[in-house]
Amino acid sequence: MYRAVIEDLRRWKQSANRKPLILQGARQVGKTYILKEFGRLEYAQTVHVSFDRDEKARQFFNEGGSAERLIRLLSAHTETDIKPTDTLIILDEIQECPAALEALKYFQEETPQYHIVVAGSLLGISLHGNASFPVGKVDMMRMF
């Protein structure tokens, strides 16, 4: 199914100033579907991690460390050789892992060559008052 948001995602991918992308939207509007479809259409491979079901991935982010370390752990965990421009990294249900939301700042600062998108509801993301929101370090897109 074609959705206009794919064109917005393509523009994000091509942007010279691309930052990790937060795709916001209400539950059940198709955020996960559209990100997987975007990955299928635009990248050689896609890594999808859903924090509501993947305790090990939550543990990686909760333990912290450099962005490169997190990329290596995700690569091993998903058994995928994550390559900067060939792999779309989807971090889904990010509201379930506040540490992953904070890590977006470090992905932007330390590893801007990686293409990282996250999905979650704005309400769920904003409820984590103890998490540091990466203001200015992410791009944001809203899906209706």
Side-chain angles (χ1 to χ4, degrees), residues 53-78:
R53 290 182 256 156
D54 194 333
E55 174 64 34
K56 192 72 170 168
R58 284 194 308 269
Q59 182 182 348
F60 296 153
F61 283 87
N62 288 331
E63 290 172 356
S66 72
E68 280 290 346
R69 175 188 173 273
L70 291 169
I71 295 289
R72 282 193 310 275
L73 289 170
L74 288 174
S75 186
H77 181 60
T78 61

Side-chain angles (χ1 to χ4, degrees), residues 17-57:
N17 300 314
R18 185 191 62 255
K19 301 172 188 172
L21 176 69
I22 297 176
L23 181 63
Q24 305 172 64
R27 294 184 56 75
Q28 303 299 313
V29 297
K31 295 181 300 293
T32 300
Y33 167 81
I34 207 68
L35 291 177
K36 286 181 174 180
E37 182 69 2
F38 175 61
R40 185 185 70 77
L41 294 170
E42 297 291 323
Y43 292 86
Q45 56 191 2
T46 301
V47 167
H48 177 258
V49 174
S50 187
F51 289 115
D52 65 338
R53 290 182 256 156
D54 194 333
E55 174 64 34
K56 192 72 170 168

Side-chain angles (χ1 to χ4, degrees), residues 6-131:
I6 288 284
E7 296 306 321
D8 295 332
L9 291 167
R10 285 183 177 133
R11 281 189 288 279
W12 167 80
K13 178 185 179 188
Q14 299 302 323
S15 172
N17 300 314
R18 185 191 62 255
K19 301 172 188 172
L21 176 69
I22 297 176
L23 181 63
Q24 305 172 64
R27 294 184 56 75
Q28 303 299 313
V29 297
K31 295 181 300 293
T32 300
Y33 167 81
I34 207 68
L35 291 177
K36 286 181 174 180
E37 182 69 2
F38 175 61
R40 185 185 70 77
L41 294 170
E42 297 291 323
Y43 292 86
Q45 56 191 2
T46 301
V47 167
H48 177 258
V49 174
S50 187
F51 289 115
D52 65 338
R53 290 182 256 156
D54 194 333
E55 174 64 34
K56 192 72 170 168
R58 284 194 308 269
Q59 182 182 348
F60 296 153
F61 283 87
N62 288 331
E63 290 172 356
S66 72
E68 280 290 346
R69 175 188 173 273
L70 291 169
I71 295 289
R72 282 193 310 275
L73 289 170
L74 288 174
S75 186
H77 181 60
T78 61
E79 299 178 348
T80 305
D81 183 17
I82 297 175
K83 296 179 182 162
T85 57
D86 292 340
T87 308
L88 178 65
I89 302 170
I90 302 171
L91 303 177
D92 206 356
E93 302 294 346
I94 197 157
Q95 70 275 4
E96 300 297 326
C97 187
L101 182 64
E102 291 183 46
L104 296 179
K105 170 185 176 182
Y106 303 107
F107 284 125
Q108 191 273 328
E109 291 174 349
E110 300 170 14
T111 57
Q113 68 274 28
Y114 289 96
H115 295 216
I116 300 171
V117 294
V118 303
S121 68
L122 179 58
L123 176 61
I125 291 171
S126 64
L127 284 177
H128 289 292
N130 58 338

